[in-house]
Amino acid sequence: MVGPARTRGHAPAVRRATTLVLSALTAVLLALVPWSGTAFAHGSVVDPASRNYGCWDRWGDDFQNPAMADEDPMCWQAWQADPNAMWNWNGLYRNGSAGDFQAVVPDGQLCSGGRAESGRYNALDTVGAWQTSDITDDFTVKLYDQASHGADYFLVYVTRQGFDPATQALTWGDLQQVARTESYAPSQNYEIPVSTSGLSGRHVVYTIWQASHMDQTYFLCSDVDFG
C-alpha cells in the first residue's frame, strides 16, 4: 500500500516538473527561430532574388555544407558573418527615413540598407561575384510581402553599363532609375514591370520599397545578368 500511495502522491509533481521543463525548452526553441508567425514577417524581392533571399533559398536546408564555400562563395561569407541575415531575409528595412534615402544609406552600404538592424546585413555589401539571375531588357520585379504591408511606392534602379559589382562597391552614383510606381494596396505579392535598353552582363537591380503601414523602407539588392 505504501509504494502505490507514494507513486500516486508524486505523479502530479512529476507531471508539473515535466511541464515546466517542456515549457522552458519551447521558449528556448522559439527564441532560436528568427521569424515565426506573421507578427514578425515583412518581405523581400524574390525574383530576381535579393542577395539574402537567394542565399536562404539555395542553402537554407543545407547551410552548413562546406561545398558552399566553392559553389557559392559570396553566400558562404554571408552565412559565416551572420546566419540571421538569411533566416531574416524579410527584415532588411529602416524606419523613419522620411524619403531621404541617400542621407541614411551611405555609399558602399546600399545592400545592407545603411548597416540596418545593428549590422545584421553588413555582409550583403561585400564586393564579389554574387550569383546572378538571368533577365532580359524587359523584366518584372516580384516582391513577396508576408505581412501585407502594402506600398506607398516602389523605386527600381539598375546599375549603369560599365559598373562591375564583382569588383566595385555600390554607390548611389552607379544607379539609374528605371521604374517608379504608384501605391499598391496591401497584398502578399507585388509585380513591378521594368523596361531597359542597352544593358549587358552583370548588374545590380536595386529596389526600394516604401511600405504604407508606417515610414518603413526596404533596401534590396538583386544580382542579375542581362544575357
Side-chain angles (χ1 to χ4, degrees):
M1 295 294 293
V2 174
R6 183 180 296 116
T7 301
R8 286 196 297 272
H10 281 267
V14 171
R15 284 196 296 270
R16 284 195 297 271
T18 302
T19 299
L20 288 172
V21 170
L22 290 175
S23 297
L25 287 173
T26 299
V28 170
L29 288 172
L30 287 175
L32 293 174
V33 177
W35 52 276
S36 57
T38 56
F40 302 101
H42 302 287
S44 187
V45 172
V46 297
D47 186 18
S50 64
R51 286 182 174 177
N52 55 331
Y53 176 81
C55 289
W56 172 82
D57 188 43
R58 292 191 295 275
W59 296 99
D61 293 334
D62 199 19
F63 68 97
Q64 292 180 315
N65 188 339
M68 190 195 321
D70 294 322
E71 296 175 15
D72 201 347
M74 299 312 296
C75 280
W76 173 257
Q77 64 84 31
W79 278 103
Q80 302 313 300
D82 193 337
N84 280 323
M86 275 59 70
W87 298 125
N88 291 275
W89 55 264
N90 51 16
L92 205 173
Y93 64 86
R94 299 182 68 91
N95 290 327
S97 299
D100 194 0
F101 306 131
Q102 295 190 37
V104 297
V105 179
D107 285 345
Q109 299 178 18
L110 275 68
C111 295
S112 68
R115 298 179 179 172
E117 295 295 292
S118 301
R120 174 186 293 162
Y121 300 97
N122 287 4
L124 304 183
D125 290 319
T126 304
V127 176
W130 291 84
Q131 283 204 19
T132 59
S133 300
D134 293 334
I135 61 174
T136 61
D137 287 348
D138 298 320
F139 64 98
T140 300
V141 172
K142 298 178 180 179
L143 188 141
Y144 180 53
D145 175 5
Q146 285 182 309
S148 299
H149 287 321
D152 286 347
Y153 55 83
F154 292 100
L155 300 174
V156 182
Y157 302 83
V158 179
T159 49
R160 58 179 173 76
Q161 191 66 29
F163 173 78
D164 182 5
T167 61
Q168 297 172 265
L170 184 62
T171 71
W172 290 102
D174 296 317
L175 299 175
Q176 50 189 350
Q177 185 177 313
V178 291
R180 181 188 178 104
T181 74
E182 301 297 328
S183 62
Y184 282 63
S187 179
Q188 289 195 322
N189 296 284
Y190 311 117
E191 295 190 356
I192 303 106
V194 177
S195 293
T196 66
S197 64
L199 298 177
S200 61
R202 284 181 173 271
H203 285 268
V204 175
V205 173
Y206 193 61
T207 304
I208 295 177
W209 166 28
Q210 182 65 43
S212 57
H213 70 299
M214 61 182 293
D215 185 7
Q216 187 172 88
T217 313
Y218 295 74
F219 301 92
L220 307 165
C221 282
S222 302
D223 294 276
V224 301
D225 192 324
F226 282 90

